[in-house]
Each structure stands twice: as C-alpha cells, then as structure tokens.
C-alpha cells in the first residue's frame, strides 16, 4: 500500500496540486479539494474476491486499492444482494430470427453522434461520482438522452419510452431508460448498459474518461438512437442503463440490481459495454467477449450475434472478479455478460489517467466503437423481439 501511496503522491505533484518542501513532508491524503464530497476516513465494507470475506477499509484505502489495479465490490449498502440466489440452469437462447430488422437498424448507425457526444462528455474535468462535475456530466447525459428521444422517436414510439434518474446519496444518479414491450413473457426484458463515471488514479485529478467508459456510454446511446429512429417496438421491455459509481466499487449497478431484485422485475439478460474504442497497434481488430463471472449461455449467444452481424471476429478473454457492472447483476441472480474492446491484455492502458483522451492515439477508433453499437442493437432486437405490423 505504501508504494501505491507514493505513486499517487507523485501523480499529484506532477499535476501541480502538491509540492513537498522537505523529505519529511506528509503525503497529501487528508485534504479534499473544493467540488468533491468524500470523506477519506469513512469506513467501507469491501469484497475483493468471491472466496474471501468482506473487509472494512477506509475510503482512502479503497482508492489506493483501485490505484493498484484491484477490482472489488463495495457492499456497504448492498450486503444482501446475493442472498437467496441459486445457480442458474443452462438456457439455450433461440437462434437469431430478426435479421432483416437488425440489418435495417445497423445500416442507419453512424460515428457522427458518438464523436460529438464524446467530445462534450470528456470536456468535464472529471466525472468522478462524488464530484460536482460528475453530477453536471450526468445531467448533461440525461438531457442528451431526452434530446435524442425527442428528435428521433415517432409519437407512437415516444409513448413506449420512459426516462428516469435512479437517485443515489452521492449525487451522481444512474439513468434508466425503458422501451416498454407490448407482449411480455415471464422470461423478462433485456438490459444494455454502460457506466457514466470516470476516475483518475487519484480521483481529484482530471479524468476525461474517453474510453473508460465514455466510449461505452456513447456506444449504447447510438444503438438507442438507431433503434428508436427505426420505430423499434419490442415485445419485451428493453432497457438502457447508464450507471453511476462503477469506479467506486460497482455502487450504482448494485443499487439498481438490488431494486430490480426486490421488486421481482424479470430480466432475461443484462449486457455491459465498458471500453469499446481501443484497437492496439499491430493487433487484430476484434470484440473481446468476457468468459469469467458471466452467464455461459448468454455469452455464447453474443458470439452468435457477432458472427452474424459484425464485420470483425470475437476473442475470448477474462477480466477477473467484479471488473464491471455486469458482476452486480450476476450476483443478484440474473444472466449477465460483458463485451470489451479487445482481449483484456490489449485494452487501453491509458485509463484512470489524464491521458484517457480521444486524441491520445490513432488506436482510439470510432469505427471500432460502431461495431459495438451494432452488437447492442442486435441484442436489443433479438432478445427483445419486434412487434411487426
């Protein structure tokens, strides 16, 4: 931990936020800048592995663990999320049957909106969930979703759409959008999700978060735009979720999954899009399909859709325990899956820094992101169905 704290202090000094005057200077980890609402001494209950018991650590120790690259659940407010959950039986998803509709929608997808939206989304100094600008970025995203809906949905489709904030105590709310199904079954609907927050290794530093997870945020927004502009009328409920506080230990998605579980909301599949932009130089362009801590049946179905509708192949990869918001839904007893920009080892190494920017490298690709918008659209249609005339 001491090494991680030293690394953090060097990052702070490099950004001009602290300058030691002697070798005995204390590391500046007890000062919270203006515009942030966090108590670094507050104790949090955190779980680092499925096989380990949760431990109480301070908020500062949690931040340090994140800087060390450790993934975890902060279960302080969701301790019973996994209670009563039984292993899911193997499920065979039906073969794709809406090819003409899927191809119609993906033909209308574009990089134009994602480029414009991500340029704005990364202009906030940070989207850290306990910051003023994190709340401002969330309100901007909410307004943008409302604008996209107003401009692209027909009056009939608008009647099916609800857009709501899911409130959180830290201020940056999650955003839940539902396109209501017309012929629902007990299998339930589908959730397509990303996380809206960003962080730096030291969260008070700038964090543009272009790839993590600005890319996923605008990727699924483009899929949503393409669907509603094509008069998508699903049979099952189709949800688009933008979670807050993923970087704080999956806090937002745990809260939402807890609510859905408590209310008995049926969901057949939840798919997370976290980092969709990076194609490492010298590697094959591909979709990373996570194979650990996910539902195998849903994951196999995603592979089928990639083969059928995308112009690039998939690669199986792993990301570990609690690595993104799909883990909250798995823990709650729902089928979940996760697609990422590449194999995990070839993913963007600039994340959690000031260099997670659109312009950092030609490796950041909006054309690559478009493949993920295609996949999200295909999942919404093939799993949500389409009420045809």
């Amino acid at each position: 931990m001491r090494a991680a704290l030293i690394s953090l202090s060097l990052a702070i000094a490099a950004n001009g936020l602290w300058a030691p005057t002697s070798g005995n200077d204390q590391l500046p980890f007890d000062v919270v800048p203006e515009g942030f609402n966090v108590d670094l001494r507050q104790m949090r209950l955190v779980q680092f592995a499925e096989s380990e018991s949760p431990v109480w650590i301070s908020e500062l120790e949690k931040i340090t663990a994140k800087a060390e690259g450790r993934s975890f659940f902060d279960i302080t407010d969701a301790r019973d999320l996994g209670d009563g959950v039984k292993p899911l039986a193997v499920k065979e998803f039906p073969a794709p049957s809406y090819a003409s509709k899927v191809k119609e929608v993906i033909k209308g997808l574009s990089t134009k909106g994602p480029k414009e939206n991500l340029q704005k989304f990364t202009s906030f100094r940070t989207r850290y969930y306990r910051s003023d600008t994190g709340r401002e970025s969330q309100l901007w995203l909410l307004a943008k979703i409302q604008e996209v809906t107003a401009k692209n949905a027909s009056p009939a489709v608008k009647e099916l759409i609800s857009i709501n904030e899911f409130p959180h105590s830290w201020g940056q709310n999650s955003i839940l959008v539902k396109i209501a199904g017309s012929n629902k079954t007990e299998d339930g609907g589908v959730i397509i999700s990303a996380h809206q927050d960003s962080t730096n290794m030291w969260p008070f530093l700038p964090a543009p978060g272009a790839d993590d997870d600005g890319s996923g945020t605008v990727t699924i927004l483009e899929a949503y735009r393409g669907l509603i502009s094509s008069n998508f009328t699903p049979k099952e409920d189709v949800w688009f979720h933008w979670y807050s506080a993923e970087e704080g230990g999956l806090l937002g998605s745990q809260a939402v999954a807890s609510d859905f579980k408590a209310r008995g909301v049926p969901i057949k599949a939840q798919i997370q899009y976290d980092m969709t932009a990076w194609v490492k130089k010298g590697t094959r362009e591909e979709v990373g399909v996570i194979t650990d801590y996910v539902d195998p049946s849903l994951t196999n179905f995603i592979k089928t859709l990639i083969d059928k509708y995308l112009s690039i192949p998939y690669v199986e990869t792993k990301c570990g325990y609690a690595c993104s918001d799909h883990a909250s839904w798995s823990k709650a007893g729902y089928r979940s899956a996760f697609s990422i920009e590449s194999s995990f080892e070839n993913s963007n190494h600039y994340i959690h820094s000031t260099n997670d920017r659109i312009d950092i490298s030609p490796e950041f690709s909006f054309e690559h992101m478009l493949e993920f918008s295609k996949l999200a659209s295909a999942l919404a249609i093939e799993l949500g169905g389409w009420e045809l005339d």
Side-chain angles (χ1 to χ4, degrees):
M1 179 176 172
R2 178 70 179 178
L5 288 173
I6 292 172
S7 296
L8 289 174
S9 67
L10 291 174
I12 294 169
N15 281 268
L17 300 182
W18 172 71
T21 57
S22 74
N24 295 321
D25 272 7
Q26 293 292 313
L27 298 174
F29 296 119
D30 57 352
V31 178
V32 175
E34 185 178 350
F36 292 83
N37 177 28
V38 57
D39 180 356
L40 297 176
R41 296 179 177 83
Q42 184 182 45
M43 300 305 290
R44 307 293 300 182
L45 188 60
V46 171
Q47 187 163 15
F48 288 101
E50 194 172 32
S51 59
E52 297 178 7
S53 298
V55 293
W56 286 97
I57 61 175
S58 70
E59 186 70 35
L60 175 57
E61 289 172 314
K62 196 177 81 168
I63 291 168
T64 304
K66 188 78 175 180
E68 292 172 337
R70 301 180 71 186
S71 297
F72 51 83
F73 280 106
D74 181 337
I75 66 170
T76 310
D77 302 316
R79 302 181 203 185
D80 60 351
L81 180 59
D83 290 358
V85 173
K86 298 178 181 179
L88 294 170
V90 175
K91 176 182 176 63
E92 292 300 324
F93 285 87
S97 58
Y98 291 92
S100 63
K101 285 295 186 181
V102 172
K103 291 176 181 178
E104 174 189 326
V105 171
I106 64 178
K107 185 178 180 180
L109 299 176
S110 169
T111 61
K112 182 178 183 293
K115 285 179 181 178
E116 294 174 353
N117 293 333
L118 193 54
Q119 192 71 45
K120 175 62 179 180
F121 206 45
T122 56
S123 70
F124 295 94
R125 184 179 182 276
T126 180
R127 302 191 304 275
Y128 183 60
Y129 69 104
R130 287 187 175 276
S131 68
D132 291 348
T133 53
R135 172 61 173 166
E136 291 165 11
S137 65
Q138 181 254 303
L139 290 173
W140 176 86
L141 179 59
L142 177 65
K144 176 56 65 173
I145 294 166
Q146 292 168 335
E147 176 189 314
V148 166
T149 304
K151 287 184 177 180
N152 293 279
S154 67
V157 171
K158 285 177 184 174
E159 290 294 319
L160 305 176
I161 296 172
S162 58
I163 302 172
N164 293 290
E165 292 182 80
F166 187 98
H168 300 297
S169 60
W170 49 85
Q172 182 193 66
N173 296 331
S174 295
I175 302 172
L176 311 186
V177 175
K178 183 175 76 171
I179 308 174
S182 61
N183 191 18
K184 303 172 191 178
T185 68
E186 62 182 15
D187 281 350
V190 55
I191 296 171
I192 294 166
S193 61
H195 74 86
Q196 58 175 290
D197 60 314
S198 69
T199 193
N200 198 305
M201 187 165 59
W202 182 236
F204 307 134
L205 297 177
D211 198 13
D212 187 13
D213 183 27
S215 62
T217 292
V218 301
T219 287
I220 69 169
L221 179 57
E222 176 61 12
Y224 171 72
R225 184 201 64 78
L227 288 164
I228 62 174
S229 65
S230 299
N231 290 313
F232 179 48
T233 51
K235 294 181 179 180
E236 303 282 1
D237 291 343
V238 172
W239 297 80
F240 285 83
H241 288 183
W242 288 268
Y243 301 123
S244 170
E246 188 268 357
E247 302 289 8
L250 315 185
L251 292 168
S253 58
Q254 285 187 86
V256 176
S258 294
D259 175 70
F260 274 50
K261 179 185 175 185
R263 293 189 291 117
V265 180
I267 297 294
K268 73 172 73 170
Q270 182 269 345
I271 305 95
Q272 177 78 351
Y273 289 79
D274 190 347
M275 300 169 57
T276 62
W278 199 256
V279 183
K280 185 178 179 180
K281 185 178 180 180
T283 66
R284 180 182 73 166
E285 184 180 1
E286 54 199 9
V287 174
V289 176
I290 300 298
T291 58
D292 58 337
Y293 300 100
V294 293
D295 181 74
S297 303
L298 179 57
T299 299
N300 286 334
F301 184 70
I302 288 173
K303 295 176 189 176
T304 299
L305 296 187
I306 292 170
D307 286 340
K308 187 172 181 66
Y309 295 121
L310 273 59
S311 61
I312 59 175
Y314 66 81
V315 60
E316 293 185 349
T317 190
K318 296 181 179 181
C319 69
Y321 180 75
C323 69
S324 195
D325 291 306
H326 65 289
S328 298
W329 293 91
S330 290
K331 189 174 183 181
Y334 294 95
R335 298 184 192 278
S336 75
F338 177 21
S339 59
I340 191 172
E341 59 202 8
S342 63
S343 61
F344 204 67
E345 59 270 21
N346 289 334
S347 61
N348 190 340
H349 62 279
Y350 290 112
I351 65 169
H352 301 166
S353 78
T354 55
N355 287 327
D356 186 4
R357 307 193 315 266
I358 296 170
D359 62 351
I360 192 65
S361 167
E363 294 161 298
F364 194 102
S365 169
F366 283 94
E367 292 296 333
H368 189 53
M369 289 167 55
L370 192 61
E371 295 295 317
F372 289 83
S373 295
K374 294 176 185 178
L375 181 57
S377 301
L379 282 161
I381 296 167
E382 293 290 359
L383 292 178
W386 194 311
E387 195 66 61
L388 304 174
D389 293 334

